[in-house]
Amino acid sequence: MLLFLIAIALIFDFLNGLHDAANSIATIVSTRVLPANYAVIWAAFFNFIAFMFFGLHVANTVGKGIIHPDIISDAVIFGALGGAITWNVVTWLAGIPSSSSHALIGGLLGAGFAKAGLDPIVWSGVLKTVSGIVVSPAIGFSLALLLVLIVSWVFRRSTPALADSTFRKLQFVSASLYSLGHGGNDAQKTMGIIAVLLFAHGKLGGEFHVPLWVVLSCQAAMAMGTLMGGWRIVHTMGSKITRLSPQQGFCAETGGAITLFLATHIGVPVSTTHTITGAIVGVGAARRVSAVRWNLATGIVWAWVITMPIAAVMGAMFYGLARLADRFFG
């Protein structure tokens, strides 16, 4: 059962990379700086090596900062992963850029509540995570807007051809940074799930930590998912919200990357989807408010709002199914 649940967790991590590939490559693909098939390879590489640049603060938050590790069981983890994977697949098929991160947190909360009520919930960690729904896109929006103003002033006397050529090169840097931030924050959520599962089975020697093999497995699974791409969501993120130039793509990716670096450093499991969406809206609004398709952006925000509650309900349902299966077949 332990091996089965670890495999399911890695499948979730793979789907997370698949679902969120658009976050890393949407801007560089939509600005035609890099073809999609090369962009996913570029993003997957930086997804994988992210563990070399960040501590494991997010993994610790997910592992022991959402619900208390003492109530973790196989059924709870199955419920959390089942709820998150189901919601991820539904939103991926629909082309909705929802949050894999908050789906996982919602599934974990729902399964934990189904087992033990409200008592095991670590409210400080939950509030920190929920605040990221608002704070990360707001910071991404603000930084991207500020970067647009700065680079517009710096290049005010440059020819359009020079500016376009410069930012096409700079987008390779900004896309790399965003992919690092994506791999650093998102892969750690699955690391936390696997680590707390190992802790519940007594495989960590009595002290919660994240083994190196878990780190490498999760980074590799996410990188493989990114290689598979998420083309429906790439289209939504890269062109439907607003049209992007290389300069705007650079500003959106850089603003989003800075936001993810800050969140990962302080251990907040934010949504890379929320972050890059906020940044893309920011660069669109810098051009003019009407450049943003606000009706589409509003629909995406509603998807953010309902992700955790729906995933929590699904997590509780999968927990119940696991308990029934254990009763009849265990």
Side-chain angles (χ1 to χ4, degrees):
M1 180 57 70
L2 176 62
L3 292 175
F4 170 74
L5 289 173
I6 290 173
I8 295 296
L10 291 175
I11 289 172
F12 168 79
D13 203 29
F14 173 85
L15 290 173
N16 193 343
L18 178 74
H19 190 275
D20 290 358
N23 301 344
S24 297
I25 68 173
T27 53
I28 199 170
V29 171
S30 66
T31 56
R32 295 183 174 85
V33 170
L34 199 63
N37 54 332
Y38 293 111
V40 291
I41 296 172
W42 185 267
F45 172 75
F46 287 99
N47 274 180
F48 178 72
I49 67 170
F51 72 94
M52 301 169 61
F53 298 89
F54 301 101
L56 298 176
H57 308 300
V58 174
N60 288 322
T61 296
V62 174
K64 58 183 180 180
I66 302 298
I67 60 175
H68 200 280
D70 289 345
I71 70 108
I72 294 294
S73 65
D74 291 345
V76 169
I77 296 298
F78 179 78
L81 292 171
I85 288 172
T86 301
W87 183 241
N88 262 8
V89 171
V90 168
T91 53
W92 175 68
L93 290 174
I96 300 170
S98 67
S99 168
S100 301
S101 308
H102 292 122
L104 181 61
I105 300 299
L108 188 59
L109 285 170
F113 175 79
K115 179 179 180 180
L118 295 175
D119 290 340
I121 296 176
V122 182
W123 290 106
S124 58
V126 173
L127 291 174
K128 184 165 64 172
T129 302
V130 171
S131 68
I133 296 177
V134 177
V135 174
S136 65
I139 294 176
F141 176 95
S142 302
L143 288 174
L145 184 61
L146 178 62
L147 285 166
V148 169
L149 296 177
I150 291 172
V151 299
S152 297
W153 184 82
V154 170
F155 284 83
R156 68 191 186 281
R157 294 179 181 173
S158 301
T159 62
L162 175 62
D164 185 78
S165 174
T166 300
F167 283 104
R168 284 182 178 277
K169 295 180 179 70
L170 287 175
Q171 264 207 277
F172 285 96
V173 178
S174 60
S176 303
L177 292 174
Y178 194 85
S179 295
L180 275 178
H182 175 228
N185 200 282
D186 269 18
Q188 289 196 36
K189 293 146 192 171
T190 308
M191 293 178 204
I193 290 292
I194 294 177
V196 76
L197 181 62
L198 293 170
F199 178 81
H201 279 262
K203 302 296 185 181
L204 296 182
E207 182 179 351
F208 181 88
H209 66 279
V210 184
L212 179 60
W213 70 265
V214 173
V215 174
L216 295 176
S217 298
C218 291
Q219 298 287 175
M222 173 159 286
M224 290 299 295
T226 300
L227 277 175
M228 298 297 293
W231 309 120
R232 291 180 177 87
I233 300 174
V234 167
H235 183 50
T236 298
M237 300 291 287
S239 61
K240 283 189 177 180
I241 295 175
T242 188
R243 296 290 176 181
L244 297 175
S245 66
Q247 174 185 332
Q248 293 167 327
F250 167 80
C251 293
E253 288 165 342
T254 304
I258 294 171
T259 305
L260 292 180
F261 284 18
L262 290 172
T264 305
H265 178 69
I266 62 176
V268 179
V270 299
S271 166
T272 56
T273 307
H274 296 185
T275 303
I276 195 63
T277 302
I280 290 173
V281 171
V283 298
R287 186 164 71 242
R288 63 181 188 279
V289 174
S290 62
V292 178
R293 295 185 175 92
W294 293 103
N295 58 334
L296 179 64
T298 302
I300 291 172
V301 170
W302 275 112
W304 297 352
V305 171
I306 65 174
T307 287
M308 279 186 68
I310 291 180
V313 172
M314 290 180 174
M317 292 172 58
F318 275 98
Y319 171 81
L321 289 174
R323 295 293 296 158
L324 282 174
D326 184 58
R327 180 177 300 177
F328 287 105
F329 305 107

PDB file of all heavy atoms in Angstrom, residues 7 26 55 64 85 101 126 129 145 151 153 205 229 256 291:
ATOM      1  N   ALA A   7       3.418   5.817  -5.655  1.00  0.00           N
ATOM      2  CA  ALA A   7       3.236   5.853  -7.115  1.00  0.00           C
ATOM      3  C   ALA A   7       2.118   6.822  -7.497  1.00  0.00           C
ATOM      4  O   ALA A   7       2.253   7.596  -8.459  1.00  0.00           O
ATOM      5  CB  ALA A   7       2.930   4.449  -7.638  1.00  0.00           C
ATOM      6  N   ALA A  26       3.890  29.424 -21.620  1.00  0.00           N
ATOM      7  CA  ALA A  26       2.847  30.121 -22.385  1.00  0.00           C
ATOM      8  C   ALA A  26       3.352  31.424 -22.984  1.00  0.00           C
ATOM      9  O   ALA A  26       3.096  31.714 -24.163  1.00  0.00           O
ATOM     10  CB  ALA A  26       1.637  30.397 -21.487  1.00  0.00           C
ATOM     11  N   GLY A  55      15.571  25.709  -0.591  1.00  0.00           N
ATOM     12  CA  GLY A  55      15.379  24.837   0.550  1.00  0.00           C
ATOM     13  C   GLY A  55      14.041  24.126   0.452  1.00  0.00           C
ATOM     14  O   GLY A  55      13.257  24.367  -0.485  1.00  0.00           O
ATOM     15  N   LYS A  64       3.621  18.930   7.261  1.00  0.00           N
ATOM     16  CA  LYS A  64       3.211  19.002   8.666  1.00  0.00           C
ATOM     17  C   LYS A  64       2.547  20.320   9.048  1.00  0.00           C
ATOM     18  O   LYS A  64       2.269  20.538  10.226  1.00  0.00           O
ATOM     19  CB  LYS A  64       4.420  18.763   9.567  1.00  0.00           C
ATOM     20  CG  LYS A  64       5.579  19.734   9.357  1.00  0.00           C
ATOM     21  CD  LYS A  64       6.767  19.363  10.248  1.00  0.00           C
ATOM     22  CE  LYS A  64       7.933  20.332  10.052  1.00  0.00           C
ATOM     23  NZ  LYS A  64       9.085  19.991  10.912  1.00  0.00           N
ATOM     24  N   ILE A  85      -6.180  14.871  -8.031  1.00  0.00           N
ATOM     25  CA  ILE A  85      -5.998  14.365  -9.397  1.00  0.00           C
ATOM     26  C   ILE A  85      -7.293  14.517 -10.197  1.00  0.00           C
ATOM     27  O   ILE A  85      -7.275  14.935 -11.366  1.00  0.00           O
ATOM     28  CB  ILE A  85      -5.541  12.893  -9.369  1.00  0.00           C
ATOM     29  CG1 ILE A  85      -4.088  12.802  -8.889  1.00  0.00           C
ATOM     30  CG2 ILE A  85      -5.671  12.260 -10.758  1.00  0.00           C
ATOM     31  CD1 ILE A  85      -3.609  11.382  -8.656  1.00  0.00           C
ATOM     32  N   SER A 101      -1.816  23.123  -6.892  1.00  0.00           N
ATOM     33  CA  SER A 101      -1.390  23.253  -5.498  1.00  0.00           C
ATOM     34  C   SER A 101      -2.580  23.306  -4.553  1.00  0.00           C
ATOM     35  O   SER A 101      -2.651  22.579  -3.560  1.00  0.00           O
ATOM     36  CB  SER A 101      -0.560  24.532  -5.326  1.00  0.00           C
ATOM     37  OG  SER A 101       0.474  24.580  -6.269  1.00  0.00           O
ATOM     38  N   VAL A 126      -2.930  26.717   6.973  1.00  0.00           N
ATOM     39  CA  VAL A 126      -4.046  26.856   6.033  1.00  0.00           C
ATOM     40  C   VAL A 126      -4.242  28.322   5.654  1.00  0.00           C
ATOM     41  O   VAL A 126      -4.414  28.666   4.469  1.00  0.00           O
ATOM     42  CB  VAL A 126      -5.340  26.277   6.635  1.00  0.00           C
ATOM     43  CG1 VAL A 126      -6.534  26.581   5.726  1.00  0.00           C
ATOM     44  CG2 VAL A 126      -5.205  24.776   6.843  1.00  0.00           C
ATOM     45  N   THR A 129      -1.623  29.460   3.305  1.00  0.00           N
ATOM     46  CA  THR A 129      -1.857  28.951   1.959  1.00  0.00           C
ATOM     47  C   THR A 129      -3.005  29.690   1.275  1.00  0.00           C
ATOM     48  O   THR A 129      -2.902  30.074   0.103  1.00  0.00           O
ATOM     49  CB  THR A 129      -2.177  27.447   2.015  1.00  0.00           C
ATOM     50  OG1 THR A 129      -1.089  26.757   2.639  1.00  0.00           O
ATOM     51  CG2 THR A 129      -2.386  26.890   0.620  1.00  0.00           C
ATOM     52  N   LEU A 145       3.615  44.931 -13.797  1.00  0.00           N
ATOM     53  CA  LEU A 145       3.240  46.301 -14.173  1.00  0.00           C
ATOM     54  C   LEU A 145       4.422  47.248 -13.977  1.00  0.00           C
ATOM     55  O   LEU A 145       4.730  48.074 -14.850  1.00  0.00           O
ATOM     56  CB  LEU A 145       2.051  46.751 -13.322  1.00  0.00           C
ATOM     57  CG  LEU A 145       1.442  48.119 -13.615  1.00  0.00           C
ATOM     58  CD1 LEU A 145       0.903  48.180 -15.043  1.00  0.00           C
ATOM     59  CD2 LEU A 145       0.323  48.424 -12.616  1.00  0.00           C
ATOM     60  N   VAL A 151      11.084  49.096 -18.091  1.00  0.00           N
ATOM     61  CA  VAL A 151      11.734  48.788 -19.369  1.00  0.00           C
ATOM     62  C   VAL A 151      11.250  49.731 -20.475  1.00  0.00           C
ATOM     63  O   VAL A 151      12.008  50.042 -21.405  1.00  0.00           O
ATOM     64  CB  VAL A 151      11.516  47.308 -19.773  1.00  0.00           C
ATOM     65  CG1 VAL A 151      12.109  46.379 -18.724  1.00  0.00           C
ATOM     66  CG2 VAL A 151      10.060  47.003 -20.020  1.00  0.00           C
ATOM     67  N   TRP A 153      10.637  52.875 -20.048  1.00  0.00           N
ATOM     68  CA  TRP A 153      11.426  54.104 -19.866  1.00  0.00           C
ATOM     69  C   TRP A 153      12.864  53.888 -20.334  1.00  0.00           C
ATOM     70  O   TRP A 153      13.443  54.738 -21.013  1.00  0.00           O
ATOM     71  CB  TRP A 153      11.394  54.518 -18.396  1.00  0.00           C
ATOM     72  CG  TRP A 153      12.108  55.819 -18.145  1.00  0.00           C
ATOM     73  CD1 TRP A 153      11.621  57.085 -18.322  1.00  0.00           C
ATOM     74  CD2 TRP A 153      13.464  55.971 -17.695  1.00  0.00           C
ATOM     75  NE1 TRP A 153      12.574  58.008 -18.019  1.00  0.00           N
ATOM     76  CE2 TRP A 153      13.721  57.364 -17.625  1.00  0.00           C
ATOM     77  CE3 TRP A 153      14.469  55.070 -17.357  1.00  0.00           C
ATOM     78  CZ2 TRP A 153      14.952  57.866 -17.216  1.00  0.00           C
ATOM     79  CZ3 TRP A 153      15.701  55.568 -16.950  1.00  0.00           C
ATOM     80  CH2 TRP A 153      15.934  56.951 -16.884  1.00  0.00           C
ATOM     81  N   GLY A 205      12.564   7.347  10.754  1.00  0.00           N
ATOM     82  CA  GLY A 205      13.347   7.322  11.980  1.00  0.00           C
ATOM     83  C   GLY A 205      12.805   8.177  13.094  1.00  0.00           C
ATOM     84  O   GLY A 205      13.556   8.602  13.980  1.00  0.00           O
ATOM     85  N   GLY A 229       3.526  18.681 -21.885  1.00  0.00           N
ATOM     86  CA  GLY A 229       2.825  19.915 -22.227  1.00  0.00           C
ATOM     87  C   GLY A 229       1.368  19.938 -21.804  1.00  0.00           C
ATOM     88  O   GLY A 229       0.798  18.948 -21.388  1.00  0.00           O
ATOM     89  N   GLY A 256       6.567  37.126 -12.270  1.00  0.00           N
ATOM     90  CA  GLY A 256       6.088  35.868 -11.702  1.00  0.00           C
ATOM     91  C   GLY A 256       7.200  35.098 -11.009  1.00  0.00           C
ATOM     92  O   GLY A 256       7.006  34.533  -9.927  1.00  0.00           O
ATOM     93  N   ALA A 291      -7.062  46.182 -22.978  1.00  0.00           N
ATOM     94  CA  ALA A 291      -6.285  45.120 -23.623  1.00  0.00           C
ATOM     95  C   ALA A 291      -6.477  43.777 -22.943  1.00  0.00           C
ATOM     96  O   ALA A 291      -6.164  42.739 -23.520  1.00  0.00           O
ATOM     97  CB  ALA A 291      -4.797  45.488 -23.619  1.00  0.00           C
TER      98      ALA A 291
END
